[in-house]
Amino acid sequence: RDAREGSERVRTIVRDLRTFSRGDDEKIESVDLHRVIESAIHMSWSQIRHRARFERDLGPVPCVDANESRLTEVFVNLLLNAAQAIQEGQADRNTIRVVTRVVGEEHVAIEVHDTGKGISPDIMGRLFEPFFTTKPIGVGTGLGLALCHGIVTGLGGKIEVESEPGRGSCFKVFLPAARVDETEPPPP
């Protein structure tokens, strides 16, 4: 049983890494957001598990037109930032939560909440600047959120942040739902 569980974990890791490594292929296709989020959670789990309880509130959402590996990169970055905003060793007192929901008729929202240290209002306007980081030298490059912003806006979406120092942050990604091609017959 242990061998089966271990091999299943290895299979999941290999699948996630293959998805993530297909970055050179910039093909845009209809992508299942829940699969992308689960993949990002698996890749970020080693950082999350020692810092917070993890909660999912994945409501039914339509697919989005995106590059799966690039979208996975967005959510890995957001999950790692959420984890790093929480001091290690206090997992029982902190939470990272991912929420998906439909917004209006044509958009999907994906929210990454954390109960970390929050973001000071004086740096809020600089979060998406390339090379801006609040992390110590050698820990962060300041490119993660800039890349997230570029990928999301390139897909016709937007990313917003709500934060309060000492109470945590919420990064909200809004993406247009996949366009349905009316000329194709529906699948059987």
Side-chain angles (χ1 to χ4, degrees):
R1 186 183 62 190
D2 290 344
R4 268 191 239 120
E5 288 174 5
S7 64
E8 181 61 28
R9 281 195 306 272
V10 169
R11 186 184 71 78
T12 301
I13 290 168
V14 169
R15 184 196 68 219
D16 293 342
L17 287 173
R18 284 176 43 209
T19 297
F20 199 61
S21 69
R22 286 188 220 137
D24 293 339
D25 180 11
E26 292 295 328
K27 187 170 119 180
I28 301 294
E29 57 191 354
S30 186
V31 173
D32 177 354
L33 274 172
H34 291 166
R35 188 172 77 203
V36 166
I37 290 167
E38 290 299 331
S39 182
I41 292 166
H42 287 293
M43 286 188 237
S44 310
W45 188 247
S46 66
Q47 290 287 317
I48 294 170
R49 70 178 174 195
H50 300 294
R51 298 171 188 260
R53 292 182 319 274
F54 190 82
E55 297 177 358
R56 292 171 179 81
D57 184 3
L58 304 180
V61 293
C63 291
V64 296
D65 288 329
N67 176 280
E68 188 171 350
S69 65
R70 292 294 178 227
L71 205 51
T72 302
E73 185 177 351
V74 168
F75 294 110
V76 166
N77 271 306
L78 293 179
L79 288 168
L80 288 176
N81 281 353
Q84 291 168 356
I86 298 169
Q87 189 173 5
E88 197 167 346
Q90 299 178 356
D92 58 330
R93 288 187 257 156
N94 289 288
T95 305
I96 295 174
R97 183 170 171 241
V98 175
V99 177
T100 60
R101 60 189 169 86
V102 174
V103 177
E105 293 182 25
E106 298 180 4
H107 284 83
V108 177
I110 308 94
E111 301 172 359
V112 177
H113 300 258
D114 70 67
T115 57
K117 59 186 171 193
I119 302 166
S120 168
D122 58 319
I123 63 168
M124 194 72 98
R126 299 191 61 201
L127 287 180
F128 299 109
E129 288 179 16
F131 304 109
F132 176 77
T133 183
T134 59
K135 296 175 186 166
I137 294 173
V139 176
T141 61
L143 291 175
L145 288 177
L147 287 171
C148 289
H149 186 267
I151 292 167
V152 169
T153 57
L155 294 171
K158 65 180 179 175
I159 186 167
E160 297 176 352
V161 185
E162 294 174 0
S163 186
E164 187 178 330
R167 300 189 55 92
S169 301
C170 176
F171 282 78
K172 297 179 181 182
V173 175
F174 298 93
L175 293 169
R179 292 176 293 283
V180 178
D181 188 355
E182 300 295 331
T183 60
E184 286 187 31

